[in-house]
């Protein structure tokens, strides 16, 4: 197995002036490793990749890789809607010694099936294990099941992050081909693991890594009653961390806990006071704050 367990989709902490706060970033790496995560995913959706310059993008991935120092796996977000850019970023992080890359479906330009296959294959040809990232709500394009099955034949395309909100997709993928699946939603981690997924790329683990690790470990061990009890305890937290567009709520929650400053880059901005109050109440009830 390439990637199993909990992988934190890391936020990118910013200082008050909007620059990347690398000191806080290193602290987040330590917090997650102490919480027992299997890996970290820097500069994905939760890491606000669209608003990072290319140099910052690579600096964040290198900083996370260096801080982790081999203590957990690193799956670097190097996807793009330009194949040339995805290849360029992947070539750069390959030199950092990452364990894999997360490749989002090319967004906005909506390639056809042949384009998807050529795009992902070009990145995988570089030799770094690829996690496909199926997130039609962001990319406006689902990776069709037959495309997943064809891509699974590539020796370096090893997993798919399913963030389409469909547990059935896990079953369908496992019936079609031999590729690992990771849930892209904390709220669906348990049912997806029951369907054959091997873990989750988690937003919630930014603030509660040990709790998500315990849930996923129980589920992977087949201790479904224990996993269900943990899921029930944190289900409202999982939901409210998406009370607004990700990563706005998770950064707000982390700021409430004093982990980071609540700073975004436009067009991302703070949520409403009402949403913050609801989120705080949920976190307090769950014992996170």
């Amino acid at each position: 197995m390439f990637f199993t367990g909990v992988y934190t989709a890391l936020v990118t902490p910013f200082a008050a002036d909007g620059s990347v706060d690398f000191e806080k970033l290193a602290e987040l790496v330590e917090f997650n490793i102490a919480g027992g995560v299997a890996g970290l995913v820097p500069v994905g959706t939760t890491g606000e990749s669209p608003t990072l310059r290319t140099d910052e993008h690579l600096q964040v991935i290198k900083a996370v890789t260096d801080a982790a120092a081999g203590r957990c796996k690193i799956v670097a977000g190097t996807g793009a809607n330009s194949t040339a850019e995805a290849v360029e970023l992947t070539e750069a992080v390959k030199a950092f010694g990452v364990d894999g890359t997360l490749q989002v479906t090319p967004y906005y330009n909506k390639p056809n099936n042949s384009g998807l296959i050529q795009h992902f294959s070009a990145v995988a040809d570089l030799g770094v294990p690829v996690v496909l990232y199926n997130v039609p709500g962001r990319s406006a394009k689902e990776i069709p099941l037959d495309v997943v099955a064809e891509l699974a034949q590539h020796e370096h395309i090893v997993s798919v992050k399913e963030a389409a909100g469909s547990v059935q997709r896990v079953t369908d993928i496992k019936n079609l081909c031999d590729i690992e699946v990771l849930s892209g939603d904390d709220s669906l981690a348990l049912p997806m693991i029951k369907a054959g997924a091997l873990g989750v790329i988690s937003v919630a683990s930014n603030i509660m890594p040990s709790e998500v690790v315990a849930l996923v470990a129980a589920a992977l061990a087949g201790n479904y009653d224990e996993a269900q009890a943990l899921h029930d305890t944190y289900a409202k937290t999982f939901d409210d961390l998406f009370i607004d567009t990700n990563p706005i709520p998770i950064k707000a929650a982390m700021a409430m806990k004093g982990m980071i400053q609540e700073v975004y880059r436009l067009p991302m901005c703070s949520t409403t006071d009402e949403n913050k109050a609801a989120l705080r109440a949920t976190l307090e009830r769950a014992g996170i704050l």
Side-chain angles (χ1 to χ4, degrees), residues 13 41 48 51 60 121 125 139 151 159 165-166 177 207 211 215 229 244 246 260 282 285:
V41 184
E48 294 177 80
T51 55
V60 168
S121 296
D125 286 345
S139 66
L151 289 169
S159 184
S166 170
C177 60
I207 196 170
E211 292 86 347
L215 190 164
D244 202 337
N246 182 47
I260 62 171
T282 295
R285 282 194 297 270

Side-chain angles (χ1 to χ4, degrees), residues 145 148-150 152 172-179:
L145 291 168
V148 174
E150 181 162 348
D172 292 342
I173 288 169
K174 300 305 292 183
N175 285 338
L176 272 177
C177 60
D178 184 20
I179 191 171

Side-chain angles (χ1 to χ4, degrees), residues 50 143 152:
I143 307 176

Side-chain angles (χ1 to χ4, degrees), residues 9-11 46 202-208 237 240-256 259-260 262 264 279 283:
L10 274 178
V11 304
T46 310
S202 171
V203 172
S205 57
N206 274 284
I207 196 170
M208 45 185 285
T237 302
D240 280 4
L241 286 174
F242 285 82
I243 201 169
D244 202 337
T245 305
N246 182 47
I248 293 169
I250 185 61
K251 293 189 89 170
M254 294 168 75
M256 291 174 194
M259 298 174 68
I260 62 171
E262 190 187 356
Y264 313 89
L279 179 58
L283 293 170

Side-chain angles (χ1 to χ4, degrees), residues 180-192:
E180 297 176 4
V181 180
L182 293 168
S183 172
D185 299 289
D186 289 292
S187 61
L188 294 180
L190 176 55
M192 282 192 172

